[in-house]
Amino acid sequence: MNTRRVSRDGTALLRRLREPAPPRPEQCGLCGRDLPPGHRHLVDVEDRALACSCTACGLLFEQPGAAGGRYRTVPDRVLTDPDGTVDERAWSVLGVPVGTVFLFRNAVLDRLLAFYPGPAGATESEVDQEAWQRALGANRLAAALEPDVEALLLRRTEGRVSCFLVPIDVCYELVGRLRRCWHGFDGGAEAQAELDAFFGQLTVRARPLPTAVTA
């Protein structure tokens, strides 16, 4: 049998080939620049899609009407209203069938939409304008909501409703996290623990809604 010694360099090369390649960094959806963790996102309002963004592109599309208004930078604010509450009546008025929902206004379609996280992602439902007014017409967070790029994220637990104004990408992060751990009809204990941790992080991050605020 013929044998051949492999040099140290060759051994190192073989070891690298056996090891999984390191993940490539995400890239800006517009300029292609590599992005660090925690980067910003843009909303493509025509395609209803999120795109990763570098700082420069994010700043560019913060300007109203940039690129004809097709792209909008997702804000990073998380707000609560210590003086405002959402009661359980809103659940029946809005027709929410589950314990967690996020709601936002799509400016292109001129519709109010609700999304319910679940094992297959997020289920979409249109919200009647009259129902929105009855349930959330007096809610200051709802009044401060920016179309397309922000959402109201609500969770009902044991007779209490938590309500946050959040960036829309936060909602899709939650959808992805729940999808990975969902079991059974209601998600199971692991999904409930994920929800507890997620809303706990939002509570720490959130700031009170200013007394006077405009969208």
Side-chain angles (χ1 to χ4, degrees), residues 57-112:
C57 291
L59 291 173
L60 173 64
F61 290 103
E62 284 182 347
Q63 306 304 315
R70 175 169 180 172
Y71 296 100
R72 295 194 61 197
T73 301
V74 177
D76 60 2
R77 63 179 184 171
V78 175
L79 300 175
T80 58
D81 184 5
D83 299 323
T85 59
V86 178
D87 59 35
E88 287 195 297
R89 184 180 64 90
W91 243 246
S92 59
V93 172
L94 293 169
V96 178
V98 293
T100 304
V101 62
F102 62 94
L103 308 108
F104 72 97
R105 181 183 295 277
N106 182 290
V108 173
L109 300 176
D110 193 25
R111 294 177 185 170
L112 295 161

Side-chain angles (χ1 to χ4, degrees), residues 175-200:
V175 169
R177 287 169 62 167
L178 290 178
R179 186 176 184 180
R180 288 193 295 270
C181 65
W182 195 279
H183 299 286
F185 176 75
D186 64 354
E190 189 175 351
Q192 297 308 311
E194 189 71 48
L195 279 167
D196 290 341
F198 194 87
F199 276 82

Side-chain angles (χ1 to χ4, degrees), residues 40-45 48-50 62 71-80 101-107 111-115 132 136 139-154 163-172 202 205-210 213-215:
R40 304 189 71 174
H41 291 93
L42 303 173
V43 170
D44 182 333
V45 298
R48 299 175 60 190
L50 282 175
E62 284 182 347
Y71 296 100
R72 295 194 61 197
T73 301
V74 177
D76 60 2
R77 63 179 184 171
V78 175
L79 300 175
T80 58
V101 62
F102 62 94
L103 308 108
F104 72 97
R105 181 183 295 277
N106 182 290
R111 294 177 185 170
L112 295 161
L113 301 174
F115 287 83
W132 175 278
L136 299 166
N139 185 283
R140 294 175 63 236
L141 290 175
L145 197 63
E146 291 193 33
D148 299 311
V149 294
E150 292 183 323
L152 285 187
L153 178 58
L154 295 92
C163 179
F164 295 88
L165 184 154
V166 299
I168 193 67
D169 53 4
V170 165
C171 298
Y172 289 112
L202 286 181
R205 180 179 170 184
R207 296 295 177 262
L209 180 71
V213 62
T214 57

Side-chain angles (χ1 to χ4, degrees), residues 1-74:
M1 179 175 64
N2 294 326
T3 61
R4 220 174 23 168
R5 296 187 62 185
V6 180
S7 68
R8 290 183 179 179
D9 289 343
T11 302
L13 174 60
L14 290 173
R15 186 182 302 116
R16 288 199 301 272
L17 291 174
R18 287 195 299 267
E19 294 173 351
R24 294 188 61 183
E26 292 185 278
Q27 296 180 319
C28 178
L30 296 178
C31 71
R33 182 176 302 171
D34 287 348
L35 298 173
H39 53 265
R40 304 189 71 174
H41 291 93
L42 303 173
V43 170
D44 182 333
V45 298
E46 292 184 8
D47 290 342
R48 299 175 60 190
L50 282 175
C52 297
S53 171
C54 67
T55 300
C57 291
L59 291 173
L60 173 64
F61 290 103
E62 284 182 347
Q63 306 304 315
R70 175 169 180 172
Y71 296 100
R72 295 194 61 197
T73 301
V74 177

